[in-house]
Amino acid sequence: MANRHPEPDSPELRARWGQFAWTQGNATLAQDIIARYPAGRQRSAVMPLLDLAQRQVGAEENTQGWLPLPVIEFVAKELAMPVMRVLEVATFYTMYNIAPIGRFHVQVCGTTPCMLRGSDDIMAACKARGMSKGHTTPDGMFSLTEVECMGNCASAPMVQINDDNYEDLTPDRLDFVLNELAAGRQPKTGTQDPARHTVEPVGPPTNLAAMVTENHDYRGEW
């Protein structure tokens, strides 16, 4: 895993993000989010508000978005929380980007099911395109992160790119997805195996009764 370090505070960072405030639409949405929680528990809204702030930054930069320190401070003020508490949340969860990000954030699952199904080859395909973990390509197009399980073990290996999952990958299939994104087109999300619709089993349906019929001679011998 690449180390996660917040973008250092600087006068340039303050000049760019020091006056961060919700857009009109997000201000209404933020109040709706906070209102979900009972009195005295509004700090529980920290995660959705960080996500909302990250998306607002992303809308300005045409990326997935990230959380500059002044934006984290803004969320802390919104919830009357110590800034450190909000920073702890932002740095713990990889769903939050704490440094500038490329147009497309390629998150490769490297957990055991994906590894057994070829995630090393997927990572190698990313590196062949000039990506390296924890960095953005010079053209600003792709950022690469290795992450833990994202729950698509039945269709491993997989990557998440911004908000979309791409599953049943091979290096060639990944290259196609990345080429489509770079060209401004939206490739099909989900499984990239033409034989699958979602994550149904590959091959004909099976059940335990069929397995017994096929493998057992009914005299107790296999």
Side-chain angles (χ1 to χ4, degrees), residues 4-5 185 212:
R4 284 170 50 82
H5 299 294
R185 296 185 290 267
V212 169

Side-chain angles (χ1 to χ4, degrees), residues 40-100:
R41 302 294 182 181
Q42 287 84 357
R43 292 182 176 185
S44 298
V46 62
M47 293 188 69
L49 286 195
L50 284 173
D51 180 72
L52 184 63
Q54 178 168 277
R55 290 177 185 278
Q56 182 170 315
V57 171
E60 294 188 31
E61 295 192 336
N62 194 30
T63 69
Q64 187 186 35
W66 65 292
L67 293 169
L69 183 57
V71 176
I72 291 174
E73 293 171 345
F74 173 83
V75 172
K77 184 177 180 180
E78 287 280 278
L79 297 173
M81 291 179 66
V83 174
M84 180 55 66
R85 295 301 186 194
V86 181
L87 183 62
E88 287 172 346
V89 175
T91 54
F92 182 81
Y93 293 99
T94 58
M95 64 185 282
Y96 303 117
N97 302 315
I98 53 177

Side-chain angles (χ1 to χ4, degrees), residues 2-217:
N3 292 328
R4 284 170 50 82
H5 299 294
E7 184 72 2
D9 199 2
S10 67
E12 293 77 17
L13 195 73
R14 294 283 166 182
R16 176 67 179 88
W17 298 108
Q19 302 303 313
F20 179 87
W22 297 126
T23 62
Q24 184 175 353
N26 282 347
T28 300
L29 182 55
Q31 290 307 308
D32 290 343
I33 291 171
I34 294 172
R36 298 172 188 168
Y37 302 93
R41 302 294 182 181
Q42 287 84 357
R43 292 182 176 185
S44 298
V46 62
M47 293 188 69
L49 286 195
L50 284 173
D51 180 72
L52 184 63
Q54 178 168 277
R55 290 177 185 278
Q56 182 170 315
V57 171
E60 294 188 31
E61 295 192 336
N62 194 30
T63 69
Q64 187 186 35
W66 65 292
L67 293 169
L69 183 57
V71 176
I72 291 174
E73 293 171 345
F74 173 83
V75 172
K77 184 177 180 180
E78 287 280 278
L79 297 173
M81 291 179 66
V83 174
M84 180 55 66
R85 295 301 186 194
V86 181
L87 183 62
E88 287 172 346
V89 175
T91 54
F92 182 81
Y93 293 99
T94 58
M95 64 185 282
Y96 303 117
N97 302 315
I98 53 177
I101 205 77
R103 174 71 184 88
F104 299 105
H105 186 192
V106 181
Q107 300 176 79
V108 179
C109 177
T111 311
T112 305
C114 277
M115 181 185 68
L116 293 174
R117 295 279 292 171
S119 66
D120 287 349
D121 294 334
I122 300 305
M123 187 63 73
C126 291
K127 291 181 178 179
R129 298 179 68 103
M131 300 184 214
S132 60
K133 287 192 288 185
H135 297 281
T136 300
T137 53
D139 60 3
M141 186 66 68
F142 298 109
S143 296
L144 178 63
T145 305
E146 183 180 356
V147 297
E148 292 298 333
C149 183
M150 292 189 282
N152 289 85
C153 305
S155 50
M158 62 86 63
V159 303
Q160 179 179 326
I161 303 177
N162 293 357
D163 286 333
D164 294 317
N165 288 353
Y166 299 89
E167 306 151 27
D168 287 313
L169 290 172
T170 64
D172 287 343
R173 290 172 181 171
L174 176 64
D175 273 335
F176 174 80
V177 168
L178 297 177
N179 288 338
E180 288 292 286
L181 292 172
R185 296 185 290 267
Q186 176 58 59
K188 172 184 176 293
T189 59
T191 180
Q192 302 300 300
D193 186 340
R196 296 178 102 176
H197 175 62
T198 53
V199 290
E200 72 280 5
V202 177
T206 60
N207 55 57
L208 290 177
M211 293 172 62
V212 169
T213 301
E214 180 179 351
N215 297 303
H216 199 282
D217 66 3

